[in-house]
């Protein structure tokens, strides 16, 4: 089990979990080298998973604004065959989506056999932003933890491995990243004034994250809290967990129903 995994039943207190990678690794250069090797492993495993066409891997990414979800996806899946990976971002639901139950749009996007699915935000928004911004009353959102565990159980029972990562950054790191987005013209598009409103509610978001991490880290769909102030450590930690999981899933190239040595191709 990864040192970053939340044990089922463990009460998560984010203040007690480091946001800095140096607490776990003191050699940045070695970490960057290892990360590249692990990325090659992901590339190889994805090809086998795809060829086998039976199992599915779902990776869920959640974080506060500027937590690094987009850059994690860009770095960790760089070089993977785009045909075998589907990234889905979840924004505020449309009118049609809101007319269904909140898991409807999510279920529709889970990976099919042979695929790796990556969720940039997810059904967890329905117990995070929805809870903190009072988009539905408490008696509605409070039932969702159980729904989510049951939904993830259904996916697991039907051949999906689920890995959930919370990118854990400090309040100072968020401020620096926001400032960078304001200082660098090419990064302006990443900034939104709404992000500052959410930052004012830091403690309420913290509490909502802690409850989701505590109540929804299950044996079948564990949460991992990844120290994410330093991108080099974040990339290493996440790719290590993904490779371990793929090794454990152990997909196989399909067996063939012909003898390649005896096949003759016309001149
Ligand atoms: P971004 O990831 O920066 O493009 O922003 C997407 C926005 O959609 C975030 O502010 C999310 O909180 C919001 N969002 C995602 N899912 C939901 C949801 N189920 N209900 C309300 N807002 C959501
Ligand atoms: Mg944003």
């Amino acid at each position: 089990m990864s040192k970053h995994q939340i044990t089922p039943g463990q009460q998560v207190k984010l203040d007690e979990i480091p946001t800095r990678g140096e607490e776990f690794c003191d050699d940045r250069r070695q970490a960057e080298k290892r990360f590249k090797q692990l990325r090659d492993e992901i590339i190889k495993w994805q090809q086998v998973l795809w060829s086998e066409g039976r199992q599915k891997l779902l990776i869920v990414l959640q974080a506060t604004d500027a937590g690094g979800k987009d850059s994690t996806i860009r770095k960790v899946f760089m070089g993977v065959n785009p045909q075998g990976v589907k990234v889905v971002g979840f924004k505020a639901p449309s009118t049609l989506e809101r007319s269904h139950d909140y898991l409807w749009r999510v279920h529709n996007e889970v990976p099919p056999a042979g695929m790796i699915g990556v969720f940039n935000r997810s059904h967890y928004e329905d117990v995070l932003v929805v809870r903190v911004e009072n988009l539905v009353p408490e008696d509605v959102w409070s039932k969702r933890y159980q729904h989510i565990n049951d939904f993830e159980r259904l996916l697991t029972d039907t051949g999906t491995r689920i890995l959930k990562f919370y990118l854990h950054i400090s309040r100072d790191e968020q401020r620096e990243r926001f400032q960078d987005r304001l200082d660098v013209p090419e990064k302006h598009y990443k900034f939104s004034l709404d992000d500052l409103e959410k930052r004012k509610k830091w403690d309420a978001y913290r509490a909502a994250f802690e409850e989701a991490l505590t109540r929804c880290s299950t044996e079948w769909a564990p949460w991992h809290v990844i120290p994410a102030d330093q991108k080099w450590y974040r990339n290493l930690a996440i790719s290590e967990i993904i490779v371990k999981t793929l090794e454990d899933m152990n997909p196989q190239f399909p067996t063939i129903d012909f003898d390649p040595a005896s096949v003759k191709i016309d001149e």
Side-chain angles (χ1 to χ4, degrees), residues 62 65 69-70 89-93 98 102 105 120-130 133 135 144 181 190 192 194-195 198 205:
Q62 287 287 163
D65 293 305
K69 299 185 298 299
D70 294 288
F90 290 95
K91 310 258 177 198
R98 263 186 285 118
Y102 68 100
R105 66 171 182 162
N120 184 341
R121 303 184 190 269
S122 66
H123 42 301
Y124 283 94
E125 293 293 329
D126 293 287
V127 288
L128 294 168
V129 65
V130 168
E133 307 297 337
L135 302 182
R144 292 182 171 176
R181 290 174 178 193
K190 294 189 192 180
S192 129
D194 180 55
D195 294 347
K198 285 200 195 146
Y205 274 100

Side-chain angles (χ1 to χ4, degrees), residues 224-237:
H224 300 81
V225 176
I226 304 294
D229 278 355
Q230 289 144 313
K231 295 168 188 172
W232 58 266
Y233 184 76
R234 174 201 72 194
N235 295 342
L236 173 70

Side-chain angles (χ1 to χ4, degrees), residues 83-246:
Q83 277 206 104
V85 182
K86 187 175 177 197
V87 180
V88 185
F90 290 95
K91 310 258 177 198
S94 66
T95 310
L96 173 67
E97 288 167 344
R98 263 186 285 118
S99 74
H100 288 273
D101 72 83
Y102 68 100
L103 290 174
W104 178 78
R105 66 171 182 162
V106 180
H107 205 167
N108 194 39
E109 297 288 5
V110 299
M115 291 285 289
I116 299 177
V118 183
F119 282 0
N120 184 341
R121 303 184 190 269
S122 66
H123 42 301
Y124 283 94
E125 293 293 329
D126 293 287
V127 288
L128 294 168
V129 65
V130 168
R131 163 178 162 160
V132 176
E133 307 297 337
N134 287 311
L135 302 182
V136 300
E138 177 165 359
D139 65 327
V140 174
W141 60 253
S142 63
K143 293 197 182 84
R144 292 182 171 176
Y145 302 96
Q146 186 65 47
H147 299 159
I148 288 174
N149 288 341
D150 291 342
F151 169 60
E152 292 177 353
R153 177 91 233 189
L154 164 79
L155 296 179
T156 309
D157 285 349
T158 49
T160 305
R161 275 293 281 266
I162 305 176
L163 285 175
K164 300 180 295 198
F165 297 109
Y166 170 68
L167 309 181
H168 187 31
I169 62 163
S170 66
R171 196 171 149 81
D172 284 346
E173 181 66 22
Q174 189 192 52
R175 191 184 45 73
E176 278 180 31
R177 291 186 187 182
F178 281 169
Q179 192 59 54
D180 187 49
R181 290 174 178 193
L182 292 168
D183 293 344
V184 181
E186 289 75 23
K187 294 188 182 174
H188 286 170
Y189 77 97
K190 294 189 192 180
F191 186 81
S192 129
L193 288 170
D194 180 55
D195 294 347
L196 296 186
E197 294 308 310
K198 285 200 195 146
R199 181 172 165 85
K200 287 187 188 135
K201 299 176 188 160
W202 180 268
D203 290 340
Y205 274 100
R206 267 297 161 106
F209 271 116
E210 285 179 344
E211 188 158 359
L213 295 166
T214 298
R215 295 183 63 181
C216 299
S217 195
T218 53
E219 271 156 38
W220 56 92
W223 269 109
H224 300 81
V225 176
I226 304 294
D229 278 355
Q230 289 144 313
K231 295 168 188 172
W232 58 266
Y233 184 76
R234 174 201 72 194
N235 295 342
L236 173 70
I238 291 180
S239 57
E240 259 173 359
I241 296 164
I242 294 175
V243 168
K244 278 231 170 61
T245 303
L246 284 164

